[in-house]
């Protein structure tokens, strides 16, 4: 099993450009999450999905959109990138967290917006 | 979720046991204690979790006090690869779709 993979690993954008981050998991997990991590801060939840075709907002959703068209994939979109979105983005997945399952994280995508 | 308190940093000699404490004095009855770690530049990694009994797996042991107000993560034979930030997280089982709340954690430095 590859676990959770993220594409791309690194990206530099100019202000106003758009891009999509792809997360894929091969563990048949129902739940998927997008977090961002900034220096000196913990992870903050952007959006999450409880199943194929569903998405919900997390703690810091502004400026991002997501889609979960297939169970194994969770896409994070930035329509008009801003320097404040420079961060490391982590995707995670889990079985139903109501059953106390752990979250599995991907390796991260380092995004710089200039 | 109950708040957790961890020391900012700890040092450990390679081959020795690393004991990482966590205080969670406001934990409620249905909240579990989870431990994750994040090695530099990598995604967080699940280590272990428990409710009230001590737990052990291939990575570590988790000791929870009888009153559940604190716990200790034990890495029995620390290696250089265990150098990481360790996060203690308290979370209810009934939180569908909610984030894990990662605080500042404890930076463990293992040296030879």
């Amino acid at each position: 099993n590859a676990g959770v993979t993220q594409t791309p690993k690194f990206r530099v954008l100019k202000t106003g450009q758009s891009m999509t981050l792809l997360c894929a998991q091969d563990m048949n997990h129902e739940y998927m999450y997008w977090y961002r991590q900034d220096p000196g801060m913990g992870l903050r939840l952007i959006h999450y999905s409880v199943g194929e075709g569903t998405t919900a907002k997390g703690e810091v959703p502004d400026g991002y959109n997501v889609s979960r068209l297939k169970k194994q994939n969770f896409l994070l979109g930035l329509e008009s990138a801003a320097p404040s979105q420079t961060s490391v983005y982590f995707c995670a997945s889990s079985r139903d967290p109501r059953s106390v399952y752990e979250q599995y994280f991907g390796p991260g995508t380092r995004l710089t917006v200039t | 979720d109950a708040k957790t308190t961890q020391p900012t940093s700890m040092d450990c000699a390679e081959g020795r046991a690393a004991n990482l404490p966590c205080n969670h004095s406001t934990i409620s009855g249905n909240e579990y204690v989870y431990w994750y770690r994040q090695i530099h530049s990598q995604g967080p990694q699940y280590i272990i979790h428990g409710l009230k009994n001590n737990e052990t797996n291939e990575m570590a042991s988790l000791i929870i006090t009888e009153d559940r107000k604190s716990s200790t993560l034990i890495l029995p034979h620390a290696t250089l690869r265990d150098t990481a930030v360790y996060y203690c997280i308290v979370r209810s089982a009934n939180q569908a779709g909610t984030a894990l709340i990662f605080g500042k954690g404890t930076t463990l430095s293992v040296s030879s």
Side-chain angles (χ1 to χ4, degrees):
Chain A
N1 285 352
V4 178
T5 58
Q6 294 183 231
T7 307
K9 290 185 170 52
F10 303 92
R11 186 71 186 271
V12 178
L13 288 179
K14 296 190 173 171
T15 298
Q17 288 185 317
S18 63
M19 77 164 294
T20 300
L21 283 67
L22 170 65
C23 176
Q25 52 94 6
D26 61 2
M27 297 173 281
N28 201 35
H29 285 169
E30 289 294 331
Y31 285 70
M32 296 187 75
Y33 313 80
W34 275 107
Y35 292 86
R36 62 177 287 175
Q37 186 174 36
D38 301 302
M41 299 184 68
L43 279 76
R44 292 182 292 171
L45 183 66
I46 305 171
H47 286 278
Y48 65 96
S49 168
V50 303
E52 183 178 319
T54 70
T55 64
K57 294 180 179 180
E59 180 187 357
V60 288
D62 294 341
Y64 305 94
N65 57 73
V66 288
S67 64
R68 183 99 180 268
L69 299 179
K70 294 182 179 180
K71 185 177 184 178
Q72 64 267 36
N73 295 337
F74 195 29
L75 279 62
L76 178 71
L78 286 73
E79 291 185 346
S80 180
S84 61
Q85 294 178 305
T86 293
S87 189
V88 181
Y89 292 86
F90 290 103
C91 176
S93 70
S94 69
R95 287 176 279 180
D96 186 346
R98 290 169 295 185
S99 300
V100 200
Y101 291 121
E102 61 266 28
Q103 291 188 13
Y104 294 82
F105 285 80
T109 294
R110 298 180 183 283
L111 175 66
T112 301
V113 183
T114 62
Chain B
D1 292 335
K3 181 179 170 59
T4 62
T5 303
Q6 299 178 251
T8 302
S9 63
M10 295 184 67
D11 295 319
C12 181
E14 190 176 23
R16 304 296 295 268
N19 296 283
L20 290 86
C22 180
N23 182 285
H24 33 78
S25 59
T26 61
I27 193 170
S28 61
N30 67 342
E31 289 182 317
Y32 288 73
V33 180
Y34 287 80
W35 283 85
Y36 281 74
R37 73 179 182 183
Q38 188 172 22
I39 297 171
H40 183 62
S41 300
Q42 297 182 22
Q45 178 189 23
Y46 165 84
I47 301 173
I48 199 168
H49 76 273
L51 182 62
K52 53 185 176 181
N53 296 323
N54 297 338
E55 303 288 345
T56 295
N57 63 20
E58 64 278 5
M59 289 182 68
S61 294
L62 174 61
I63 308 298
I64 302 174
T65 57
E66 191 169 344
D67 63 9
R68 304 210 319 126
K69 293 184 177 182
S70 65
S71 60
T72 301
L73 178 75
I74 301 173
L75 308 178
H77 305 287
T79 71
L80 298 178
R81 289 174 295 183
D82 292 321
T83 293
V85 180
Y86 287 77
Y87 297 98
C88 171
I89 300 166
V90 170
R91 187 169 182 271
S92 168
N94 299 318
Q95 291 180 285
T98 57
L100 294 172
I101 307 299
F102 289 81
K104 297 288 179 64
T106 296
T107 299
L108 176 67
S109 299
V110 181
S111 57
S112 57

